[in-house]
Amino acid sequence: AQSVTQLGSHVSVSEGALVLLRCNYSSSVPPYLFWYVQYPNQGLQLLLKYTSAATLVKGINGFEAEFKKSETSFHLTKPSAHMSDAAEYFCAVILSGGYNKLIFGAGTRLAVHP
Amino acid sequence: DGGITQSPKYLFRKEGQNVTLSCEQNLNHDAMYWYRQDPGQGLRLIYYSQIVNDFQKGDIAEGYSVSREKKESFPLTVTSAQKNPTAFYLCASSPGQRNSPLHFGNGTRLTVT
């Protein structure tokens, strides 16, 4: 079975500080992993995806994530937080099978303080 | 611009009434999905469809029904059998390849009183 766990439902950082949002997955086969961002009352927007081409994946808005097989992790980082980064972030893994069934983590709400 | 349109954005209904949420896409995607979002629970899959005239139950299909008569459209009906229908509903689509990300609409917030 595949699942994804996001550590920390709420993360608060100061503007300009490092953003680190944690995601661990469990999978018996190499996974496809995604990070999405959701702003209030909106849908989800893809930040980045890992599909085994490179372990360090760069996404939009200055975010990046590193796939670490030994740690079964896919943490999301950004060197310097901006006020506009305040949102909810979801890590997701594709369930193995013949279709794109995404399994989502519970989400991490990021607050950015001046 | 291509995208997914969900309507209406806000919907209010009385308990015991069925309600249908609209989802239309012009991305020419084969696969479409309905997710339910509740605070602190992430997104849970209700139904998905890989091709026209075919759909499968997701993890929480009870109390919901769907149809897929056209490639562009995947409406979701929340029936009176759904015990706790108040939630944020998200529709998504994808080309269908296994590593393709999902594209999401902006959601419909349903409130049942």
Side-chain angles (χ1 to χ4, degrees):
Chain A
Q2 292 170 302
S3 68
V4 58
T5 302
Q6 292 183 242
L7 301 176
S9 58
H10 290 81
V11 170
S12 181
V13 300
S14 298
E15 191 173 21
L18 171 71
V19 175
L20 171 60
L21 304 182
R22 300 178 185 273
C23 173
N24 288 87
Y25 68 92
S26 63
S27 173
S28 57
V29 296
Y32 293 122
L33 293 157
F34 303 82
W35 274 101
Y36 284 86
V37 61
Q38 184 181 34
Y39 298 99
N41 291 313
Q42 292 188 24
L44 276 67
Q45 179 183 3
L46 180 69
L47 275 178
L48 49 82
K49 67 176 183 179
Y50 168 75
T51 57
S52 77
T55 57
L56 182 62
V57 182
K58 294 187 182 297
I60 63 172
N61 302 339
F63 284 93
E64 62 182 36
E66 186 173 8
F67 173 72
K68 292 187 177 180
K69 184 178 179 180
S70 61
E71 299 178 6
T72 61
S73 68
F74 190 55
H75 301 332
L76 182 71
T77 60
K78 182 174 181 178
S80 178
H82 192 272
M83 298 295 288
S84 62
D85 294 327
E88 189 154 22
Y89 293 79
F90 292 93
C91 183
V93 63
I94 280 190
L95 188 68
S96 59
Y99 57 88
N100 273 13
K101 180 180 176 181
L102 277 187
I103 302 297
F104 285 87
T108 297
R109 187 168 298 279
L110 175 67
V112 182
H113 299 287
Chain B
D1 288 339
I4 300 175
T5 301
Q6 290 189 243
S7 60
K9 189 162 182 66
Y10 299 95
L11 193 54
F12 298 88
R13 281 293 184 270
K14 294 290 188 184
E15 192 174 323
Q17 294 179 334
N18 291 355
V19 59
T20 298
L21 282 59
S22 170
C23 177
E24 303 280 332
Q25 56 103 355
N26 60 5
L27 298 168
N28 199 33
H29 285 171
D30 288 320
M32 296 187 74
Y33 310 78
W34 275 105
Y35 284 87
R36 170 181 172 140
Q37 185 176 19
D38 297 282
Q41 295 193 47
L43 280 72
R44 293 180 291 169
L45 183 64
I46 304 172
Y47 268 97
Y48 64 96
S49 168
Q50 294 175 265
I51 197 169
V52 174
N53 291 324
D54 186 52
F55 49 83
Q56 288 79 39
K57 293 181 179 180
D59 300 318
I60 55 165
E62 184 176 352
Y64 299 97
S65 65
V66 294
S67 63
R68 185 86 188 275
E69 297 177 1
K70 299 186 298 181
K71 188 175 185 178
E72 309 80 40
S73 179
F74 192 41
L76 173 74
T77 297
V78 184
T79 75
S80 56
Q82 167 52 232
K83 300 301 182 188
N84 186 20
T86 294
F88 191 51
Y89 291 87
L90 287 159
C91 179
S93 71
S94 81
Q97 288 82 22
R98 184 160 178 265
N99 63 350
S100 299
L102 270 59
H103 299 253
F104 284 85
N106 281 328
T108 292
R109 186 167 298 280
L110 173 65
T111 303
V112 177
T113 57

